């Protein structure tokens, strides 16, 4: 995991349970902020290092993760990551579409402050659709799902004035 799923609350929602993780590094890749938004994009670069997490999900958990990633047009691709125990064959979700990074590193901490609350709300909605809709159907609704999630978060943060209509 080199992107938003490194955020433990998001991984818990998507996976349906807590998963053990261990540090992993993808060598010759860097993690940039996407050119068109604040999501991570892996960019090949000799000598670069993208820090992430390694998970070992069971079949159902992997199916949940695949569904979530497919909503955004991502599929698994083989890679080798470096761990404390040495190199490990793994898979990483990569876009099926062109998704270029800018030259700005993606910062998970900055993403978490700005986008995590809405993303958690949207992810719960997306995962509830698993088994009822295809990832492509949900993907077509992703903007609406995210907008609704943002409205829910904003509504929760709103506080009614103490005295309505009083002068």
């Amino acid at each position: 995991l080199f992107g938003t799923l490194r955020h433990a609350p998001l991984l818990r929602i998507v996976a349906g349970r807590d998963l053990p993780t261990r540090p992993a590094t993808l060598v010759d890749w860097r993690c940039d902020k996407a050119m068109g938004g604040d999501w991570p994009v892996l960019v090949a670069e000799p000598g670069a290092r993208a820090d992430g997490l390694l998970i070992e999900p069971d079949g159902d958990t992997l199916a949940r993760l695949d569904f979530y990633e497919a909503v955004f047009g991502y599929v698994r691709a083989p890679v080798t990551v470096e761990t404390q125990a040495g190199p490990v064959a793994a898979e990483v979700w990569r876009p099926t579409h062109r998704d270029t990074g800018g030259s700005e590193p993606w910062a998970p901490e900055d993403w978490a402050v700005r986008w995590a609350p809405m993303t958690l709300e949207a992810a719960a909605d997306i995962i509830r659709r698993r088994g009822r809709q295809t990832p492509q159907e949900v993907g077509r609704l992703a903007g609406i799902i995210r907008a609704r999630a943002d409205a829910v978060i904003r509504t929760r943060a709103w506080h009614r004035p103490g005295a309505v209509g009083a002068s």
Side-chain angles (χ1 to χ4, degrees):
L1 307 174
F2 293 94
T4 60
L5 287 175
R6 289 172 54 190
H7 186 65
L10 179 59
L11 181 57
R12 186 178 312 110
I13 288 169
V14 175
R17 63 186 183 92
D18 287 319
L19 290 177
T21 63
R22 57 185 167 134
T25 302
L26 190 56
V27 177
D28 294 330
W29 293 84
R30 69 176 197 266
C31 195
D32 278 2
K33 187 175 184 179
M35 187 67 76
D38 192 4
W39 60 85
V41 176
L42 287 172
V43 177
E45 179 184 308
R49 298 174 63 80
D51 291 327
L53 299 172
L54 187 63
I55 59 172
E56 297 180 32
D58 61 27
D60 182 59
T61 303
L62 186 56
R64 290 173 64 100
L65 293 162
D66 280 341
F67 176 85
Y68 182 78
E69 291 291 344
V71 165
F72 303 103
Y74 284 64
V75 296
R76 283 184 278 138
V79 294
T80 300
V81 296
E82 294 293 328
T83 69
Q84 285 183 338
V88 173
E91 294 176 306
V92 64
W93 283 277
R94 299 288 319 225
T96 57
H97 54 281
R98 182 168 159 76
D99 197 354
T100 59
S103 56
E104 183 180 345
W106 181 72
E109 304 81 19
D110 295 343
W111 173 88
V113 169
R114 173 80 170 98
W115 297 106
M118 182 276 301
T119 302
L120 297 176
E121 189 72 32
D125 189 344
I126 288 168
I127 287 297
R128 282 192 300 270
R129 295 166 185 268
R130 183 174 168 251
R132 296 183 302 140
Q133 293 176 289
T134 67
Q136 295 74 25
E137 290 169 331
V138 179
R140 287 192 290 274
L141 300 173
I144 295 167
I145 292 168
R146 290 170 59 83
R148 184 171 57 208
D150 185 57
V152 167
I153 297 302
R154 289 175 188 269
T155 301
R156 285 182 189 148
W158 182 78
H159 299 287
R160 180 166 44 169
V164 176
S167 47

